[in-house]
Each structure stands twice: as C-alpha cells, then as structure tokens.
C-alpha cells in the first residue's frame, strides 16, 4: 500500500507558492526580444519612459520659459521642434509633458486593472447575489457617458491631477470587470478546473494557478489598448481645465492649446498628437507580443 | 468477497429543476442517481456501464465529491466521503483520484507537463521539495510510458493518448489506492484505447490499485473488469462477475445490451437473436413507476408497473439482478 509518512502532514496550499505558470520559465525579457513585434513596442516605450524620466537632464530649455520675441519659431538647431504660441521650446515641453501624460495614464491603467480584476474575479467566482449587485453597479457606470461622469467626479473633488486620476479610475474599471467576469465564467467550466478540484486544491489556489493564467492574455491586450485610450481621455479632461493646470506641460493640454493656432501653426497640434499616437502604438505592440509569449500554444 | 475498499451505500443524487430567474422555485427533481449500492475490493476493477444519461458519471463525481450527493454513504476504507469535513476530504482525495474522459480539456494548457504532475506531489506532501519533485515527476512519466524529458513540454504538444497518460500520471502522483476512471478511453482511437487499457492493467498489478471503470462500451468492460454493474436510469439493474454477466445475463436490459455487441464470427452472428428495445430512455425527472425498465421491457407484465423488483441474488450470492422475471439467456 502506498500510504506512509506523508499522511501525517496536512495538505499544504502554501508550498505551491507563487503561480510560476503565470509567466514562462525562460526569462520573459529574452522572449520579448526574440518577438519582433514586442521588441518594437518595448523599444518605443523604453525610449519614451526613459526620456520622460530624464527630462530635466535632456531637455535643452525650461519648459515654462517664455521667449515672447521668438514665437512660432520653425524647427532650428536651437529649438529642435520650434517654439509655441508663447515662445516656449516645444521639444522641452514634450519631454516634460511625457512625465505627466505617460505616468498618469500608467497609474490609472494599473489602478483600474487592479480594481477590475478583483471585482471581476469575485463576481465570476461568487455568482448569485454578489455577482448581481456588482454587475448592476457596473451597468450603472456603463450607462453614463464615461467622460462626463469622470468630469463630474473630478469637478466635485476639485481640479487637480490627482483628483482627475481618481475620477478616471472610478469610471473606467468597468470594462476590465466585465471582461474578467466573462472569462472567469468560461474558464470555470473547463474540465481542468474540475480536475484541480478533484485534487483537493482550495478555491483561491484554483483561482490563482488555474484560472488567472488562462485569462491574463485578453486582459493584457485590453490593458494596452486601454492605456492608449486613457492617454487620450486624460488629455481631453486636461483640456477642459480639470486636470493639469496651465502652464504645466502635458500632452493633452498642449494639444488643446495648439488647437487655437491650428490655422497658423498646425505643428503645435501635430507634435503632441504624434507623441500620443506613438506611445499608444508602443503599448499596443508590446501587448500583442506579450499575448503571443504568454500563450504556450502560439509559442 | 470481503468488505470492499470502497463501499457505496444507497447513493442518491437528485437535481432540482427550477423555474424563474428572480423568484426561483423548484418545480421538479431529476433523479440522476436513485439508490445505488456497490462495493469495490482492493486490487479489483468494477465496471459501471450504461447508456448516456443513466447516471454513471454522476456516481463518479459523487465518489470524488466533485458534487455533493443528496443522500447515501460512500465509505472509503471505513471513512464516509459523502459526509466528511474539508480536512478529512483532502486526505481522502489523496487516496482516491479520478481520471477524466476528455484528455484535451482536463489538462491546464498553461502548465507544463512537469508542473501538472508536480502540483499534486507538492500539494499532498508526497515529496520534500521541488528538486525531489522533479525526480519523482520523471519517474511518474516513465511509469505511464512517457519520458522524463517530456516534463518541459506543454499539453498541446501531445496526442490524445499521450495526454491521457499525463492525466494518469497526475492522478497517480498522490499515490492513491483507488482510481475512478470516468470513460478514460472513449475519446481515443481504438488502437490507442488498447494501449491505455494495457497501461491501466499493468499499473493495477504493479501498484495494487482498485479501479471503478466507467464505460459505455461493453467489449472494453469485458477486457478490463473483474466485476460489472449495469445501470439504467439511475439504478443498478444487475451486478455480477464479468464471465457470468457475459455468459448468463439475467436482467432483460443487460440481455438487450449484450445482444447489440457484434460477434466477430459471421456464422454465429447470423444465428443470434438481436433484442431491439422499443422507444427511448424515459426522463429521469419523471421515471416510470416501480420497475423503471418496464416501459421498454420485452418481458413486462402487470406486476412490473406495480412493484419495484429489489436488487437481489438470482444465481448465487454474487450475482444480483433487479427483475421479477430474471432468468439467464445466452445472447453473446
């Protein structure tokens, strides 16, 4: 008979430890580098975040230094991207703007991802009344135009970047929650979950080891798309005067400021617009690559 | 036979049939399993056969407590699986494991084969640490006819038969005394079926395992089982040793089933009388009164719809059948 000393130990959930299955064992970075799509996305993001972090060192001018004599200057050796309506160096403003735009979008992205994953997992797992209540909350939030709701919340809290981020997080977690719930419900019914139950694994381990790894990839894809969208929403709300206050440089704020001079100096909208587009592209490419890497059947 | 390793006593599983989303009310019950009793001895294989929907998979799921039975007892080594608490249950699950029908779906596609087999090892403390575990994973994989190098690969890289071997390795990891095999080969090609069955038989004699072998293919059952129980609509209608069942079936339903099994000899085949049953299986929500088979039985008499025949010895103590008119009939 095959029962011996081992039976004196209680089955132990903690020994299974971290979900090593979540990420492949080979270094993730190495695989990212081998995947060309992911590599391009990674390079874009690394360069952009790097420049943002190093803005005070790299930027040739103070972003708020107005040189009124030298307004709307075309690109030159001194002002790489020219100057804006107040004669501020456009390149320096883009660099400093990246610090706010990129990190704020990332912060909101991570916050709503966390809220959405937790709510979605609970909803999908618990079902019944809990699920009903949570999903009705989501329905209510989805029924409002999200930008308007974020605007209202931020307005109530008072203008300011942090309040804007809170307002955005409160509104935008719903997509993740819905997606997560749906995914949990699908994966929950797959036979290998039953197999894990038959093994005696407790629910939280089943959730962590068997359900979560099977639903991360759509969430990552949504996350990267969302971050691009958040970047735009952030700009829109800044434009409305709720977030970043002038004269602080921020891509969205720069974009909206530039709108006033669209006819005379279209480059003032072009540069921040391009920056936002390229950043969003970087997120999307990285997300695409990550999805391929995280799915072993595509490897 | 002595008291079995697994004793199932009067197992019942009823599913409520509900109406309405908000004001949910039960309008009927589906009697998926309705009073099933059997035992499986140490090192023995009991076959559980019956057509789709007769409740055989429900029995399997109750035994490993994937679903809670409505009533009845499931004694494993004297301990009741049906009513024990979480801690006892985990201990029991180490000793009784299940192999599923679907080799494609029952392995987590995100886990490597090594990780899949490692999971029960670590969880049930069968090994000291991961290094010890890796060695054991290799042993288990070799035991089921794969090689230790396969541990690094992922399930989608394997064929159906190989995946089923992985499923078996995973089930064996916690060193169980008994495996519930829920149609382990019905998703596989015939040639692969034989390989898996032979593997199961080898493992049984090597590790002295007990099997509850669930199947709908009688020729498989004849190949691997020591004893066979036949289920119809949530009840066992006949249970006996393999040879008695195939040579002298007593219950009309068993006889009808066996008469449908083709015989390889065409001359014999021509002389056989095929028992064709009329109609379809009645719903488990509203099963026929008394003997559940009387609506389709070629022997049915008035008494069959008035009085339920008990599962009683008909030819010796080991051969039980639930029929008022049980008598042997050579059909194979």
């Amino acid at each position: 008979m095959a029962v011996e000393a081992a039976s004196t130990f209680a089955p132990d959930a903690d020994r299974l430890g971290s979900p090593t299955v979540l990420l492949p064992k080979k270094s993730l970075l190495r695989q990212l580098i081998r995947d060309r799509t992911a590599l391009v996305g990674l390079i874009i993001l690394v360069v952009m975040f790097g420049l943002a972090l190093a803005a005070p060192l790299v930027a040739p001018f103070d972003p708020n230094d107005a040189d009124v004599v030298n307004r709307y200057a075309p690109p030159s050796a001194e002002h790489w991207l020219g100057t804006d309506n107040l004669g501020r160096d456009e390149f320096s403003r883009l660099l400093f703007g990246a610090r706010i735009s990129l990190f704020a979008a990332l912060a909101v992205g991570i916050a709503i991802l966390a809220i959405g994953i937790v709510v979605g997992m609970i909803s999908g797992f618990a079902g019944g009344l809990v699920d009903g209540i949570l999903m009705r909350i989501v329905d209510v939030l989805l029924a409002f135009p999200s930008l308007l709701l974020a605007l209202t919340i931020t307005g109530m809290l008072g203008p300011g970047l942090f309040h804007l981020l809170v307002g955005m997080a409160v509104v935008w977690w719903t997509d993740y929650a819905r997606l997560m719930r749906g995914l949990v419900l699908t994966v929950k019914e797959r036979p290998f979950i039953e197999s894990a139950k038959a093994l005696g694994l407790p629910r939280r381990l089943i959730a962590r080891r068997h359900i979560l790894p099977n639903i991360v990839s759509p969430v990552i894809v949504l996350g990267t798309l969302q971050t691009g969208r958040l970047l735009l929403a952030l700009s829109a709300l800044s434009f409305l005067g709720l977030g970043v206050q002038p004269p602080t440089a921020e891509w969205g704020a720069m974009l909206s400021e530039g709108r006033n001079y669209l006819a005379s100096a279209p480059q003032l909208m072009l540069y921040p617009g391009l920056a936002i587009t390229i950043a969003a592209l970087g997120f999307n490419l990285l997300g695409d690559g990550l999805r391929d890497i995280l799915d072993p059947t595509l490897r | 036979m002595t008291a079995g390793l697994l004793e199932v006593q009067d197992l019942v599983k009823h599913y409520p049939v509900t109406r309405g989303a908000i004001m949910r009310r039960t309008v009927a019950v589906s009697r998926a399993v309705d009073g099933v009793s059997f035992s499986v001895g140490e090192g023995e294989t009991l076959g559980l056969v019956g057509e789709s929907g007769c409740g055989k998979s429900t029995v399997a799921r109750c035994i490993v407590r994937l679903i809670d039975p409505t009533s009845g007892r499931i004694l494993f080594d004297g301990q009741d699986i049906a009513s024990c608490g979480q801690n006892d249950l985990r201990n029991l699950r180490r000793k009784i494991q299940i192999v599923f029908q679907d080799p494609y779906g029952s392995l987590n596609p995100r886990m490597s084969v090594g990780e899949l087999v490692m999971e029960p090892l670590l969880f049930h403390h069968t090994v000291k640490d991961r290094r010890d575990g890796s060695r054991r994973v290799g042993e288990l994989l070799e035991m089921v006819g794969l090689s230790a190098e396969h541990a690094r690969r992922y399930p989608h890289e394997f064929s159906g038969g190989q995946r089923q071997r992985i499923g078996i390795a995973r089930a064996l990891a916690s060193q169980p005394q008994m495996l519930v095999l829920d149609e382990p080969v019905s998703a596989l090609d015939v040639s692969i079926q034989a390989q898996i069955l032979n593997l199961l038989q080898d493992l049984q004699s090597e590790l002295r395992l007990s099997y509850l072998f669930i199947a709908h293919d009688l020729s498989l059952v004849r190949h691997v089982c020591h004893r066979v129980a036949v289920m119809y609509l949530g009840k066992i209608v006949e249970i006996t040793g393999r040879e008695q069942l195939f040579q002298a079936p007593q219950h009309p339903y068993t006889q009808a089933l066996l008469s449908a099994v083709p015989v390889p000899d065409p001359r014999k085949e021509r002389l056989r009388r095929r028992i064709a049953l009329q109609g379809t299986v009645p719903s488990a929500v509203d099963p026929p009164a008394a003997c559940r088979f009387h609506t389709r039985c070629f022997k049915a008499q008035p008494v069959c719809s008035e009085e339920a025949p008990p599962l009683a010895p008909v030819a010796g103590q080991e051969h039980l059948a639930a029929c008022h008119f049980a008598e042997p009939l050579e059909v194979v």
Side-chain angles (χ1 to χ4, degrees), chain A residues 1-2 4 6-7 10-12 15 21 192 194-195 197-201 209-210 213-214 217 294 296-297, chain B residues 61 66 90 93-94 97-98 100 105 108-111 115 119 122-125 127-128 156 170 175 177:
Chain A
M1 202 55 34
E4 15 28 50
S7 63
D12 183 356
R15 295 186 85 214
V21 284
F192 62 83
E194 200 165 50
S195 152
K197 278 187 203 154
L199 215 63
L201 293 189
R209 286 177 60 86
H210 293 274
N214 277 289
S217 35
L294 290 174
T297 55
Chain B
R61 280 170 167 66
L66 284 171
R90 259 182 221 165
R93 275 182 169 148
R94 197 163 58 77
Q97 272 294 317
I98 181 164
F100 292 95
N108 184 346
R110 299 272 163 171
M111 287 166 87
E115 191 64 33
E119 189 172 59
L122 288 177
F123 184 64
H124 288 298
H125 279 283
V127 293
K128 284 200 300 286
H156 71 270
R170 193 167 143 87
Q175 302 185 325
Q177 292 163 273

Side-chain angles (χ1 to χ4, degrees), chain A residues 8-285:
Chain A
T8 52
F9 295 95
D12 183 356
D14 296 326
R15 295 186 85 214
L16 287 172
S18 64
T20 47
V21 284
L22 197 63
L23 296 175
K25 279 179 205 65
K26 268 181 278 175
S27 139
L28 186 65
L29 196 68
R30 250 198 9 233
Q31 292 193 60
L32 270 177
I33 288 168
R34 205 177 311 149
D35 185 306
R36 207 163 295 168
T37 320
L39 183 64
V40 173
L42 192 67
I43 289 173
I44 292 176
L45 290 180
V46 165
V47 168
M48 284 196 134
F49 274 92
L51 283 176
L53 280 174
L57 304 173
V58 182
F61 291 91
D62 184 298
N64 297 323
D65 253 2
D67 179 4
V68 193
V69 189
N70 204 7
R71 296 194 301 166
Y72 308 115
S76 64
E78 194 186 4
H79 297 287
W80 292 357
L81 295 178
T83 58
D84 70 357
N85 54 312
L86 293 174
R88 296 174 294 197
D89 181 53
E90 189 75 7
F91 183 62
S92 304
R93 285 185 70 73
L94 272 185
L95 288 182
F96 277 92
R99 305 189 101 187
I100 295 175
S101 294
L102 287 179
F103 286 101
L106 200 66
V108 177
I110 290 170
I112 62 175
L113 187 71
I115 301 173
I117 285 180
V118 170
V119 172
M121 287 278 272
I122 291 173
S123 205
F125 245 119
L129 193 64
V130 179
D131 181 34
I133 291 171
L134 288 174
M135 283 304 115
R136 291 306 78 73
I137 294 174
V138 169
D139 283 345
V140 169
L141 285 174
L142 282 175
F144 276 107
S146 43
L147 206 62
L148 200 66
L149 192 58
L151 198 105
T152 315
I153 294 170
T154 317
M156 275 167 13
L157 292 171
L161 183 61
F162 181 70
H163 289 161
L164 176 63
L165 299 188
V166 172
M168 288 176 71
V170 168
V171 175
W172 264 288
W173 58 272
T174 49
D175 286 354
Y176 287 107
R178 262 286 153 82
L179 180 71
M180 282 298 284
R181 173 177 175 272
L183 292 169
V184 168
L185 288 181
T186 339
V187 175
K188 210 167 76 165
E189 297 307 320
R190 286 171 65 182
F192 62 83
I193 298 301
E194 200 165 50
S195 152
K197 278 187 203 154
L199 215 63
L201 293 189
R203 272 156 61 116
R204 76 189 154 84
L205 268 187
I206 292 180
R208 210 171 69 188
R209 286 177 60 86
H210 293 274
I211 294 187
L212 205 53
N214 277 289
I215 57 189
V216 280
S217 35
V219 174
I220 283 177
V221 174
L222 179 68
T224 50
L225 291 170
Q226 279 275 40
T227 315
R229 254 178 61 193
L230 288 173
L231 212 63
L232 290 172
L234 195 74
S235 314
L237 289 164
S238 287
F239 167 64
L240 292 169
L242 283 166
V244 183
Q245 300 301 311
T248 313
E250 194 270 339
W251 291 351
M254 289 168 69
L255 196 66
S256 27
E257 261 178 78
R259 203 142 77 168
N260 300 326
Y261 313 99
L262 184 58
S264 53
Q267 76 273 16
L268 295 188
M269 276 193 90
L270 183 70
Y271 297 139
L274 266 182
I276 292 171
T277 311
I278 293 171
L281 182 72
F283 278 115
N284 285 2
L285 290 177

Side-chain angles (χ1 to χ4, degrees), chain A residues 21 25 209 296, chain B residues 103 107-121 130 133-134 136-138 140-142 144 146-159 162-171 173:
Chain A
V21 284
K25 279 179 205 65
R209 286 177 60 86
Chain B
L107 301 173
N108 184 346
R110 299 272 163 171
M111 287 166 87
S112 70
V113 171
E115 191 64 33
L116 280 165
V117 181
M118 182 83 87
E119 189 172 59
L121 288 174
R130 276 188 177 267
S134 309
R136 183 81 186 119
V137 166
L140 281 162
L141 288 179
E142 270 159 25
V144 298
L146 297 169
S147 88
E149 280 82 65
H150 286 138
R152 255 173 300 155
R153 302 226 220 132
Y154 283 82
H156 71 270
E157 300 172 52
F158 293 88
S159 70
Q162 287 173 315
R163 282 187 223 197
Q164 201 58 301
R165 288 174 193 267
I166 297 165
I168 294 169
R170 193 167 143 87

Side-chain angles (χ1 to χ4, degrees), chain B residues 196-254:
Chain B
I196 297 291
L197 292 178
N198 289 337
L199 170 70
L200 286 170
Q201 285 186 315
D202 293 345
L203 289 170
Q204 178 167 51
S205 52
E206 208 174 307
L207 305 170
R208 254 191 95 62
L209 292 166
S210 302
Y211 289 154
L212 176 63
F213 187 93
I214 292 167
H216 59 249
D217 184 337
L218 284 162
S219 48
L220 285 183
V221 164
R222 187 166 200 179
H223 186 56
V224 294
C225 297
H226 301 115
R227 288 191 309 133
V228 183
V230 181
M231 267 184 93
Y232 180 77
L233 213 56
K235 278 184 182 296
I236 288 182
V237 295
E238 183 161 6
I239 178 166
T240 183
R242 167 181 60 186
E243 289 313 317
Q244 291 92 298
L245 187 90
F246 280 88
Q247 271 153 28
Q250 299 271 345
H251 195 282
Y253 179 63
T254 316

